[in-house]
Amino acid sequence: MSDSRREEEPPTQEVFSPASAQPASAAPWQSLSPGQTLAGRYTVLEQLGQGGMGVVFAAYDVRLDRRVALKLLQPARTSRPEDQARLAREAQAMARLSHPNVVHVYDAGTLENGHLFIAMEYVEGQTLKAWCQQSARSWREILEAYLAAGRGLDAAHRAGIVHRDFKPDNVLIGHDGRVRVMDFGLARAEPSMQTSASQPEHLPPSAWEQALTVPGTVMGTLRYMAPELIADKPADTRSDLFSFCVSLYEALFRQAPYDNASLQARTEAMAEGRLLMPSSSEVPGWVLRPLLQGLQVAPERRPASMQALVAALEADPAERRRSRLRTGGLALLAAVATGLAVAGGMRWQEQGCAGLERRLDGVWDEPVRARVRTALLSAQLPYAQDTYERVAQALDRYTGTWVRLRTEACEAGRAQAGQPRGLAVLQEYCLERRRSQVRALTELLSQGPDKELVPKAVQAVQALAPLEYCTEARALLAAVPPPEEPTVRARAEALQEQVDRLEALYAAGKFKEGLSLADPLLKETAQVGHAPLHARTLFEAARLREGSGDYSGSEALSRQAIALAAQGKDDVLEARAWSQLVTVVGTRLARHQEALALELSLEAAVSRADDDVVRSSWLNTWGSLLLHAGKPEQAQLHYERALALRMKILGPMHPEVAAVVNNLGLALQAQAESEQARAHFERALAIREKALGATHPMVANVLNNLGSVLKNMGQLAQSRTYYERALALQEQTLGPNHPMVANSLNNLGLVLLDLTQYPEAQEHFERALAIRQQLLGPEHPDVSSALNNLGISLQRRGQLDRAREHFERAIELDRKVLAPEHFKQGFSLYNLGTLLLEQGQYAQARVLLERAASVWQKALGPEHPDSADALCALGRTLVGQRQLEPARRHLERSLAILEKTQGQTHSRLVLPLLGLGELLLARGQPAQAVAQLERALALCSMMDVRAEVQLTLAQALLASGLERHRAVELATGARDYYQRIGNPSGLARASRWLQAHASP
């Protein structure tokens, strides 16, 4: 079917009231004048407006003595049966409905001249679109109006009617305030529904059921149209649901949910699920969530019905909480408040509210400040003074706010003397919990000297829970109260301070120290019998185990924390524990499919928590999982939403904002959007330099990412500069023997490989390997990575036997320390397989490459770029074995995946193009091989691969009788390269070919 759909045009308004009428311009109606009678009963009063299919008049119904809106089909179109049937369908659809939120239809029929008409309720008012634009409406006002329209639409669906053109111009708000859906001109009954409505004269009975989409076009308003309708698929109630969500989204956020630059842009955005998330809004998450579900491209992923959507949009968590309090929660709150007033040291009755800053004695006062300064500076790191100043400033701000809020809460409590104190007591309790967390952190910062603590001190302070939560009624009412029984409460409070210390140790990277405290604490909190406290201890212990590399232990503790948090009704903690489980299972253990299956459970927990901090963490976590699973486009959407939330909560220059900006850069880099990725990395760098200082070691992480993206862009000299800056900064701040230093050494070694500086690259890899073996132990997974990189450098220098030894060591290590299907297993298998391919040992290479392909396809998915690389190497091996047909399938599949995921011009395409060139040569098709190899040469940036492409292209040119002189030049260039770097096997191959073919 040809696609002649046009770009979106402004929707044509059809209105039934003078307040929103458009002047009619249809010449055929000029003969109608006020006073003229139609159908023997309708006296024309005035023309109201004109729509795409007809003109609307105000008329007087002399039979029933009332004013009506009369819609007539344009005469020029009445000869078209499909238009007549469409108008008849509108009349029948609307006549079947009797609902306060639907414009009522009174009559329909045929005029004396054969034209069709509909008589309907006359509404004094304006369209929903005009109402929204008339003045600054709150999100609640807009939502209430749309909910009324949704109820009308739901009534239509229950009658078996699909509107097909829902939009704010097709909804009226009368002067009486009632909302009514109108203009069912494109509606049709669902095929499964039967109708008993009478048919207008002269229309066949089948007119109601006919699909009247004109071939090559779509009926309706493209701006609000569901993607299945644009694709000429049948409409159903979920199509209306999509249009409703587009309309409400635009009204709430003042922007379209998808790119509306053109029909093509919108279609592509919908197909890829690229929503334009609002940068900031007062609209709460419980409203946005069902809206986003309704905007899903796949109809089956939308809410099951309009009724379900309306129910979700009405489900205000704050109202539910207020309802629970009204029906009995106040008594519990009063009882808890009585206990809190004593247990939390809140003796405002006796002491008054002045001088509450004294509650910070020993928490953050001058003696504590001095101890923290001494501890940080005694580490003798070049940035220690800057770190101390940032820590002190942040704690001054935090504790200053604490004193102010604590005083306000105390005074509010005094004002409620003799009454249930409710929220004031909950606020005081919340603030006392924050004070305990500050104490745990400052006690940790006072210990020194500690070179490992200093780099994380600023982030640890900035990770303190926001004090603003202690001022929000919604958050306070949602928080889990302490135990009511005084003895249990006192025991829980004492242990809570130790759990706060676990949190501080995690934020400071003190994983082993934290675990030594966590293990006995788990037993103690279990004995208390307060599920929320035990759940939090499990959660903190799970994070500490992840930090120490015990991923299986972290997984087990996370699952226990989820169960206990649910039991204790701590929604926020349950959602955080789900995020922790997804991180460990999906990112650390690389069980991507298993982690992806947890989506609904995690999303439901986040929804129950209804907390922006939790939601931003979930979005960031899920984005990282999607990125690791080879779904960078979806990861990008999650990172963008996380970024919007974090900027709203923390401001634009917070380190946690930089973390998401950095992750967003990684997602863009994975999509070969190198310029955009670079811009995000530069933004993350600016934030970290301002928030942490230019000499902070965390700055080096972003420098490494900038080096990586520039390397991908082929800007190797600039890439090297960034890598060298990162390495120098880490050596200066962390010392020469640190795991992060080893990471930078590996990165710098990789760009040196691309620059063909193989001896220098080898030195960097050897140093990285030594650091990792010394600090992490000989059987750590990161040792395998260093072995692989060192093997690659040896392979590039032609030292194939030594390279093979390193790859075999890496494979053996992977078997010991990684799960059988862990994606990292694939790298060692792939590296050894390609080395054997280079040596012509095709049978052994094939076994290894088939295993690598299997591992990557299971762990990363069949369309991940790494899976494509394995298929490419396997295809080239099959060419060597002369199994050309399966080789062709593997190579073409590899190329298709890489073109889809990396774009048409990425250097990663070079190897499958080279493989296809080798295949075509083996088939005796040298001319076709030349085309593939020329493309490979144009894309190639790595010199070692370029030499191989040059030599293969020389063979193809000579075999096809083309450009013999150029063929010799290409082979000579490859020979000179191999000779310069000292690669004996490559030099031998190029020299043999030149000896055989260089002479005429």
Side-chain angles (χ1 to χ4, degrees), residues 86-418:
R86 184 173 297 110
L87 189 62
R89 232 182 14 251
E90 174 179 317
Q92 292 176 331
M94 296 182 71
R96 296 177 60 188
L97 296 179
S98 179
H99 190 274
N101 297 123
V102 177
V103 169
H104 190 63
V105 169
Y106 303 130
D107 184 25
T110 307
L111 298 176
E112 294 81 355
N113 61 3
H115 300 153
L116 298 175
F117 74 89
I118 301 172
M120 63 194 83
E121 177 184 6
Y122 180 90
V123 180
E124 291 278 358
Q126 60 187 329
T127 67
L128 180 55
K129 180 178 180 180
W131 177 84
C132 287
Q133 295 173 344
Q134 185 181 51
S135 61
R137 309 285 182 184
S138 71
W139 68 265
R140 286 192 180 277
E141 290 178 290
I142 293 170
L143 180 61
E144 285 302 319
Y146 270 89
L147 285 173
R151 295 183 193 103
L153 204 52
D154 177 54
H157 293 170
R158 288 171 182 271
I161 300 162
V162 180
H163 192 292
R164 295 197 71 193
D165 194 23
F166 182 89
K167 56 186 177 182
D169 288 310
N170 283 340
V171 180
L172 287 175
I173 296 185
H175 292 333
D176 58 0
R178 181 152 56 91
V179 177
R180 302 163 174 88
V181 182
M182 64 174 180
D183 196 2
F184 282 71
L186 298 178
R188 61 187 295 267
E190 291 188 294
S192 61
M193 305 297 294
Q194 299 295 323
T195 177
S196 59
S198 59
Q199 305 282 342
E201 294 178 33
H202 311 305
L203 283 178
S206 62
W208 179 268
E209 295 293 334
Q210 288 176 351
L212 298 180
T213 300
V214 180
T217 67
V218 286
M219 303 304 297
T221 306
L222 290 174
R223 183 180 188 87
Y224 304 99
M225 190 173 291
E228 60 269 21
L229 299 189
I230 293 177
D232 273 346
K233 295 179 180 178
D236 63 10
T237 56
R238 292 169 299 183
S239 308
D240 283 352
L241 195 148
F242 182 92
S243 301
F244 177 90
C245 288
V246 172
S247 304
L248 177 53
Y249 191 99
E250 286 190 348
L252 289 173
F253 301 114
R254 303 292 190 269
Q255 68 177 58
Y258 291 104
D259 185 354
N260 273 338
S262 67
L263 176 58
Q264 181 180 357
R266 184 175 187 267
T267 304
E268 290 175 355
M270 288 193 298
E272 298 171 8
R274 286 189 282 106
L275 279 163
L276 299 174
M277 297 302 297
S279 58
S280 63
S281 172
E282 295 180 354
V283 180
W286 61 266
V287 174
L288 180 58
R289 281 190 295 276
L291 262 185
L292 295 180
Q293 187 182 358
L295 291 168
Q296 292 290 315
V297 175
E300 63 273 11
R301 299 197 65 180
R302 299 171 199 158
S305 65
M306 180 58 65
Q307 181 185 29
L309 176 63
V310 169
L313 290 169
E314 289 178 317
D316 184 344
E319 181 58 36
R320 291 201 305 270
R321 294 187 189 102
R322 286 192 291 270
S323 177
R324 288 198 298 270
L325 285 174
R326 285 193 295 269
T327 58
L330 283 173
L332 173 61
L333 181 59
V336 172
T338 302
L340 290 177
V342 177
M346 305 170 195
R347 295 179 291 275
W348 53 267
Q349 295 92 336
E350 296 83 6
Q351 298 179 355
C353 300
L356 282 172
E357 64 274 6
R358 290 193 299 272
R359 293 193 62 75
L360 295 174
D361 289 351
V363 176
W364 183 245
D365 54 13
E366 285 306 318
V368 174
R369 179 193 299 269
R371 290 197 297 272
V372 169
R373 183 179 186 278
T374 299
L376 294 177
L377 268 59
S378 63
Q380 296 183 344
L381 293 172
Y383 59 96
Q385 177 65 37
D386 182 59
T387 295
Y388 163 71
E389 291 173 359
R390 293 173 187 273
V391 165
Q393 290 169 6
L395 284 172
D396 285 343
R397 287 193 298 269
Y398 193 89
T399 55
T401 303
W402 185 92
V403 171
R404 176 176 59 80
L405 296 178
R406 184 67 178 81
T407 303
E408 291 173 357
C410 176
E411 291 171 347
R414 286 176 62 84
Q416 298 171 7

Side-chain angles (χ1 to χ4, degrees), residues 781-800:
D782 287 350
V783 172
S784 173
S785 301
L787 287 168
N788 271 306
N789 287 338
L790 184 52
I792 292 170
S793 68
L794 292 166
Q795 182 179 1
R796 298 276 179 91
R797 300 184 71 183
Q799 300 179 29
L800 302 186

Side-chain angles (χ1 to χ4, degrees), residues 480-760:
V480 178
E484 295 180 53
E485 203 282 316
T487 305
V488 176
R489 184 171 59 245
R491 180 63 179 148
E493 285 295 316
L495 291 173
Q496 191 73 261
E497 293 185 2
Q498 295 187 52
V499 181
D500 290 339
R501 181 168 176 79
L502 290 184
E503 185 174 18
L505 288 166
Y506 174 79
K510 296 290 187 180
F511 307 129
K512 292 182 180 179
E513 185 178 341
L515 285 173
S516 66
L517 174 64
D519 290 339
L521 193 55
L522 281 169
K523 296 177 182 178
E524 293 187 68
T525 54
Q527 292 170 359
V528 172
H530 185 50
L533 175 62
H534 191 200
R536 186 177 170 224
T537 313
L538 286 164
F539 171 72
E540 297 297 346
R543 294 205 298 171
L544 289 163
R545 289 205 175 276
E546 180 210 350
S548 66
D550 181 6
Y551 302 142
S552 297
S554 179
E555 177 186 356
L557 291 172
S558 297
R559 293 185 186 277
Q560 294 178 54
I562 290 168
L564 273 175
Q567 179 185 328
K569 296 182 173 54
D570 191 336
D571 293 337
V572 169
L573 181 60
E574 183 187 353
R576 294 180 70 194
W578 274 111
S579 287
Q580 176 66 23
L581 180 63
V582 166
T583 295
V584 173
V585 172
T587 305
R588 306 305 185 200
L589 295 172
R591 291 167 14 214
H592 299 142
Q593 297 308 311
E594 182 181 340
L596 289 169
L598 300 175
E599 180 178 12
L600 291 179
S601 298
L602 174 54
E603 192 168 355
V606 172
S607 179
R608 288 192 298 273
D610 194 23
D611 179 285
D612 281 347
V613 172
V614 170
R615 187 168 292 109
S616 70
S617 176
W618 158 62
L619 289 165
N620 190 54
T621 295
W622 202 257
S624 296
L625 170 62
L626 291 167
L627 186 58
H628 278 79
K631 303 175 186 294
E633 299 91 345
Q634 297 177 43
Q636 178 184 344
L637 292 176
H638 283 75
Y639 287 142
E640 287 171 344
R641 292 173 58 194
L643 179 59
L645 275 177
R646 288 201 177 172
M647 289 182 65
K648 173 185 172 184
I649 300 165
L650 304 172
M653 302 305 290
H654 194 281
E656 290 298 320
V657 170
V660 183
V661 173
N662 181 73
N663 288 344
L664 188 50
L666 294 173
L668 291 163
Q669 185 177 357
Q671 298 172 70
E673 299 288 349
S674 298
E675 287 292 352
Q676 292 186 53
R678 178 180 182 176
H680 280 78
F681 292 143
E682 288 173 344
R683 179 183 170 191
L685 178 63
I687 295 172
R688 281 192 172 157
E689 286 181 333
K690 182 172 182 179
L692 304 175
T695 60
H696 194 281
M698 287 296 291
V699 169
N701 292 350
V702 190
L703 292 172
N704 271 313
N705 287 338
L706 277 165
S708 175
V709 74
L710 288 166
K711 177 175 176 289
N712 290 345
M713 295 169 70
Q715 299 179 29
L716 300 182
Q718 287 183 269
S719 170
R720 178 178 182 174
T721 299
Y722 275 109
Y723 281 145
E724 288 175 340
R725 279 181 60 192
L727 178 60
L729 178 57
Q730 289 169 335
E731 289 179 325
Q732 179 188 9
T733 57
L734 303 173
N737 296 310
H738 191 279
M740 291 178 68
V741 171
N743 295 344
S744 291
L745 286 167
N746 264 324
N747 289 336
L748 185 52
L750 290 172
V751 79
L752 289 169
L753 283 181
D754 289 351
L755 289 167
T756 69
Q757 298 182 21
Y758 298 132
E760 192 174 347

Side-chain angles (χ1 to χ4, degrees), residues 746 749-750 752-754 758-759 761-762 765 784-800 802-807 810 827-828 830-832 834-835 838 942 944-945 977 981 983:
N746 264 324
L750 290 172
L752 289 169
L753 283 181
D754 289 351
Y758 298 132
Q762 183 176 330
F765 292 139
S784 173
S785 301
L787 287 168
N788 271 306
N789 287 338
L790 184 52
I792 292 170
S793 68
L794 292 166
Q795 182 179 1
R796 298 276 179 91
R797 300 184 71 183
Q799 300 179 29
L800 302 186
R802 289 187 61 197
R804 179 171 181 168
E805 291 175 6
H806 285 78
F807 293 148
F827 291 111
S828 305
Y830 174 85
N831 287 333
L832 183 55
T834 55
L835 183 144
E838 183 178 343
M942 296 182 293
D944 59 321
V945 179
Y977 167 77
I981 66 168
N983 186 326

Side-chain angles (χ1 to χ4, degrees), residues 26 28-29 53 72-80 83-84 115:
W29 300 105
M53 296 302 299
L72 291 83
L73 185 68
Q74 291 204 35
R77 298 183 179 181
T78 52
S79 60
R80 290 168 49 178
D83 290 336
Q84 293 182 350
H115 300 153

